[in-house]
Amino acid sequence: ADDGLISSGVLPNEDHTFQRRDRVEVLRSDLSAFSCEVVHEASAVSVTRVWGGPSVVVHPTSGPSAVVPTPSKSRPSVGLDPPTKTHSLPYIYTALSKPVGLPGIHEFTAMGLLDDRMIDYFDSENQVKVPRQEWMRERLPADYWDKGTQSRKSKQQWFKVNIGILMERMRQNDSDLHVLQWMHGCEGETQPDGTLRFVRGVDMYAYDGNDFLSFDDRSGVWVAPIPEALLTKRKWDSVQVLKEYTKGYLENECIDWLSKFLNYEQQQPRNTCMYDI
């Protein structure tokens, strides 16, 4: 930031991938050598490119960027009991403080994910919630999508208002790009009888790529990791019905939808393909 670095933060693309753009201005009169290094810890790939030169790709084998094996979500079976497996249903909302004029990047997007597969999508340009899986389109009635569209439109306005509040609270310049994100959902574990047991809920906000506020579903309070979020924490903690609704949604309603979606997906013939608009 001291060098004038401007970052878009992590933004979703329409093809289920993500992007981030960072830029800094350099004077033509500056004759220094410049290079850009990108370290992607999850894949243990480091790319360094010298301005005007070729890219150098490094695959580190040790250190903080090394690949760490991901533990399996399935547990080994004991006796004749079937193995348990964890499933997830998160919803991710991303709002920008202003248009960026880039293809596929909208001021507001919302998507639902079932075990990391996108199942529905909404953006501020098309203004309609649509299915991204064939079984979602076939099994859910038209009023589900109508209500979902109205809900997404309302959330789009909520995000627009609250980005303005946060920018004013942090005394930020409205000429810069700011990003407010919200992720909420649940994880459930299959039981021997086929039912889902609630494992944990997630309800968290990020602002400009940093954690801003999250809900502790065990203690039923909001957690503020930065001073700028304390005002929101105190306000939301004082609304008992909000805490009860959030906890109830994560532990009950979300799990019900997760179970229903898994059932719909399992009943779908294997030769069907993704439904995109």
Side-chain angles (χ1 to χ4, degrees):
D2 294 340
D3 296 322
L5 179 70
I6 299 176
S7 176
S8 69
V10 178
L11 304 174
N13 296 317
E14 292 185 334
D15 61 353
H16 308 178
T17 62
F18 295 84
Q19 67 166 276
R20 170 175 166 167
R21 299 192 178 198
D22 296 322
R23 64 185 176 90
V24 64
E25 294 184 359
V26 179
L27 297 176
R28 292 183 181 273
S29 59
D30 193 334
L31 301 180
S32 302
F34 294 93
S35 64
C36 176
E37 181 183 19
V38 177
V39 178
H40 188 249
E41 295 185 359
S43 60
V45 173
S46 174
V47 180
T48 301
R49 180 165 185 175
V50 178
W51 192 9
S55 297
V56 178
V57 181
V58 180
H59 299 269
T61 56
S62 63
S65 297
V67 173
V68 178
T70 302
S72 172
K73 288 187 176 182
S74 297
R75 297 179 180 178
S77 58
V78 178
L80 299 178
D81 291 337
T84 59
K85 185 177 182 181
T86 300
H87 297 279
S88 61
L89 178 65
Y91 291 88
I92 302 174
Y93 303 79
T94 301
L96 311 183
S97 60
K98 63 178 182 178
V100 294
L102 297 174
I105 302 299
H106 307 287
E107 284 190 69
F108 179 78
T109 58
M111 63 184 72
L113 304 172
L114 176 65
D115 290 345
D116 300 324
R117 299 182 299 278
M118 189 185 296
I119 58 175
D120 60 52
Y121 178 80
F122 174 95
D123 65 53
S124 51
E125 180 177 348
N126 296 294
Q127 290 287 300
V128 59
K129 180 180 178 179
V130 295
R132 283 298 174 92
Q133 300 290 335
E134 180 68 16
W135 54 267
M136 288 285 288
R137 181 184 66 83
E138 292 183 350
R139 298 303 300 271
L140 295 167
D143 65 337
Y144 172 88
W145 302 106
D146 292 339
K147 292 178 181 177
T149 294
Q150 294 305 314
S151 174
R152 297 296 186 264
K153 288 180 177 180
S154 297
K155 286 182 172 64
Q156 179 181 343
Q157 295 302 314
W158 183 92
F159 272 84
K160 187 177 184 65
V161 170
N162 281 276
I163 284 183
I165 292 175
L166 291 178
M167 290 174 60
E168 182 177 353
R169 182 184 301 177
M170 299 182 185
R171 297 180 175 85
Q172 293 173 326
N173 193 325
D174 58 7
S175 63
D176 295 331
L177 178 67
H178 299 283
V179 184
L180 178 60
Q181 295 175 297
W182 176 35
M183 180 173 71
H184 75 110
C186 58
E187 288 186 3
E189 187 177 70
T190 57
Q191 301 300 292
D193 62 357
T195 60
L196 279 179
R197 179 182 67 84
F198 173 79
V199 175
R200 74 184 187 103
V202 175
D203 196 312
M204 58 189 303
Y205 294 82
Y207 185 66
D208 285 349
N210 299 312
D211 291 345
F212 180 78
L213 198 69
S214 62
F215 184 73
D216 186 336
D217 61 320
R218 296 184 181 276
S219 59
V221 297
W222 293 93
V223 179
I226 60 174
E228 291 82 359
L230 288 174
L231 181 61
T232 304
K233 167 186 164 52
R234 288 193 290 265
K235 179 179 179 181
W236 289 8
D237 274 343
S238 67
V239 183
Q240 185 63 28
V241 66
L242 173 62
K243 294 190 292 184
E244 292 175 354
Y245 171 79
T246 302
K247 186 176 179 65
Y249 171 81
L250 297 176
E251 296 181 358
N252 300 302
E253 184 177 346
C254 183
I255 290 293
D256 290 341
W257 280 112
L258 175 56
S259 178
K260 183 179 297 186
F261 289 158
L262 287 172
N263 184 49
Y264 289 166
E265 184 182 49
Q266 290 168 0
Q267 294 177 7
Q268 185 72 16
R270 293 180 181 274
N271 61 351
T272 57
C273 59
M274 179 180 290
Y275 175 77
D276 281 310
I277 292 181

